[in-house]
Amino acid sequence: MKCCRFVVALLVALFVVQGAVAQKRTKTVVQTDSTTVVTTVRVVPNFAPKHDFRIGVGSLSLTTLFALDGGWNIDDYYYDFRQDMERADTYLTPRTFVGNYSLSYTYHDRRWLQYGGTVTFGASTRWRKDAVTGQKIENLSRYALAVMPSVRFVWFYREKVQLYSSISLGLVTDFDEAYVWGDMTLVGCSFGRKVFGFVELGGGMAGSARIGLGYRFDAGKNSKK
Amino acid sequence: MRKYISIFLVVALVALFMATACQLESGTEPNPNKANQLLWRRVETALNGQYEHAQMVAWLNDYMQGVNWGETYKPIDVSENEGVYTFSYSMSGDYYATTYRINTGGKKLNEGGEWVAYVKYGAYMEFAKIGVVKGVVGENTKFSIECEVSHQTPHYNALQSEVEYWFNATEELYEFTYTTCKGISTDAENATDSMEYIIEFEATEPLVYTDKTLWSGKIDILYKDNMAGTERNVTAEIERRFVTFYN
């Protein structure tokens, strides 16, 4: 499991790196009799609306910790004798956080504005097992699913690099109850044009720190500035 | 500059991603003997309580015969009034003082005496009846003690033992042997068939408690969970502090 996560991390990192070094600039050199003027011209194409699909994975955040830690009740700390005997032939595996995963779609309506929706899923796993046979007896895993509309504000826009912040608010369920909660990206950075990698720092249902891959393509509408 | 930033991001991303698989709570160790250990602890609590009572009776019995147990085991605040002895091992008024009251009826155990023993745990509790102590005529160091419900030590309801003991005054050591011992333990006042669970135990060989060591001997323990309709039977063989379970 850890090897797979390592490989995925490397793949995303490679996209980030190739995006970071792939900025194109044009340089124009004009020579006169007495001076040499160097002018660097950045080509800024017209903006065209795009569809943006992303898949990402995030670390634990305070929000997901509350949703996935198994909760607390007095039975966790006080058992009567019968409860002790009923559980005596079993043992608990560690509760392990396996990640927050997200799928999102946004529509780039303007250079500075994107909107769409995000689905996140987080999980922690734990089992009660038989002390003699090792068989699983009870599934104590916790899951959290969130479906949230989201808005993204791009405050630095280039064809291959974008810096942005976003906010999402929607419904979250741990399959026992549902409540309204959200997610926020304080700083996000995407590298790449069509296929890109992204890194985000924030908080909420997608995790405190997220990485991922995405694909965007023109929406086919008239370009805007 | 962009290259260095990218390299930094690569390293940070990989480290972050590896760290996301984290353990939120630790697990517990599998222990196939845990149920047996839980049963044994309840039985041991009952035996230790019975031992404390037997020790008090033995001290009084020897005290009346003029046998001096020495300063180590001598209680404080000993008083006697018309055959009723009251003594404690802690200062009167101490919050956790344990005080015994034994009504001898003026007869020693080896004269066929039948003593009624009471205990009070804590300065503000009432005396609760431990049970009846009967001597073996002609034998100073033997008696039987039958404990009834003790409201202050809820781990056993009825415990019968025949005790033989000796005290070595020179070395200030003592040894108790429960030639027979059986008991019943629940968390309720009275043991009946309708109780949630019942722990019955019986020594299959004499149980020996030696000064500064614990029990030696073999005990059969039967656990009945009347709500779940289950039974569990285990034999505990104790040698000093080591307990081996046989199912």
Side-chain angles (χ1 to χ4, degrees), chain A residues 2 5-6 8-10 13 16-17 20-21 57-60 65 68-69 81-82 84-85 88-89 91-97 124 126 131-132 191 199 209 211, chain B residues 2-3 6-7 9-10 13-14 16-18 20-32 34-35 38-39 42 187 196-197 199 223 225-228 232:
Chain A
K2 277 213 167 180
R5 300 168 67 83
F6 181 76
V8 170
L10 273 181
V16 168
V17 169
V21 300
V57 61
S59 66
L60 193 66
L65 178 64
L68 299 177
D69 75 346
F81 182 74
R82 175 183 300 103
D84 269 341
M85 286 296 289
D89 289 333
Y91 69 99
L92 294 173
T93 61
R95 181 172 293 282
T96 304
F97 171 67
S124 67
R126 184 175 228 184
V132 176
F191 290 96
V199 179
I211 59 173
Chain B
R2 283 202 300 267
K3 282 186 183 175
S6 301
I7 292 169
L9 277 175
V10 168
L13 282 172
V14 173
L16 171 70
F17 201 40
M18 296 297 287
T20 56
C22 58
Q23 188 172 299
L24 301 181
E25 288 178 69
S26 60
T28 57
E29 290 296 318
N31 182 359
K34 189 173 178 184
L38 288 171
L39 289 175
R42 296 299 293 271
D187 270 347
E196 276 192 6
Y197 54 83
I199 305 172
Y223 164 75
D225 186 340
N226 287 334
M227 281 190 72
R232 191 185 192 97

Side-chain angles (χ1 to χ4, degrees), chain A residues 139-156:
Chain A
N139 185 359
L140 300 172
S141 302
R142 300 275 298 180
Y143 311 99
L145 177 70
V147 179
M148 305 175 287
S150 56
V151 178
R152 188 176 294 136
F153 303 98
V154 182
W155 33 275
F156 180 86

Side-chain angles (χ1 to χ4, degrees), chain A:
Chain A
M1 183 68 173
K2 277 213 167 180
C3 289
C4 292
R5 300 168 67 83
F6 181 76
V7 168
V8 170
L10 273 181
L11 283 174
V12 171
L14 282 172
F15 275 108
V16 168
V17 169
Q18 67 84 25
V21 300
Q23 287 294 296
K24 283 188 178 172
R25 294 171 183 264
T26 60
K27 186 166 71 174
T28 301
V29 177
V30 177
Q31 276 187 312
T32 65
D33 290 336
S34 58
T35 60
T36 301
V37 177
V38 177
T39 304
T40 302
V41 178
R42 181 168 61 83
V43 177
V44 181
N46 284 334
F47 173 79
K50 294 178 177 52
H51 298 292
D52 181 312
F53 294 90
R54 301 182 180 206
I55 183 168
V57 61
S59 66
L60 193 66
S61 67
L62 208 57
T63 300
T64 51
L65 178 64
F66 285 140
L68 299 177
D69 75 346
W72 176 90
N73 58 63
I74 196 168
D75 289 339
D76 290 337
Y77 295 89
Y78 174 74
Y79 298 124
D80 62 22
F81 182 74
R82 175 183 300 103
Q83 285 173 318
D84 269 341
M85 286 296 289
E86 283 175 349
R87 295 169 200 245
D89 289 333
T90 67
Y91 69 99
L92 294 173
T93 61
R95 181 172 293 282
T96 304
F97 171 67
V98 295
N100 288 314
Y101 302 92
S102 60
L103 282 172
S104 70
Y105 163 77
T106 51
Y107 178 69
H108 293 214
D109 190 38
R110 287 167 169 70
R111 277 182 204 277
W112 59 273
L113 178 66
Q114 303 170 12
Y115 47 84
T118 300
V119 175
T120 68
F121 178 78
S124 67
T125 58
R126 184 175 228 184
W127 288 89
R128 182 178 294 282
K129 291 187 174 182
D130 186 284
V132 176
T133 63
Q135 283 187 331
K136 294 176 180 177
I137 294 174
E138 187 183 3
N139 185 359
L140 300 172
S141 302
R142 300 275 298 180
Y143 311 99
L145 177 70
V147 179
M148 305 175 287
S150 56
V151 178
R152 188 176 294 136
F153 303 98
V154 182
W155 33 275
F156 180 86
Y157 183 91
R158 296 290 182 270
E159 195 68 17
K160 289 187 178 178
V161 178
Q162 293 166 28
L163 298 175
Y164 55 87
S165 301
S166 73
I167 188 164
S168 309
L169 189 68
L171 273 179
V172 179
T173 178
D174 57 8
F175 301 97
D176 281 333
E177 55 184 3
Y179 44 92
V180 175
W181 202 246
D183 183 80
M184 181 177 59
T185 300
L186 293 172
V187 177
C189 183
S190 67
F191 290 96
R193 195 193 303 179
K194 275 198 169 179
V195 178
F196 60 93
F198 67 89
V199 179
E200 297 176 351
L201 289 175
M205 293 308 299
S208 299
R210 316 96 183 259
I211 59 173
L213 294 172
Y215 179 72
R216 60 169 79 101
F217 56 92
D218 288 351
K221 286 192 176 180
N222 291 337
S223 60
K224 301 176 186 178
K225 287 199 176 176

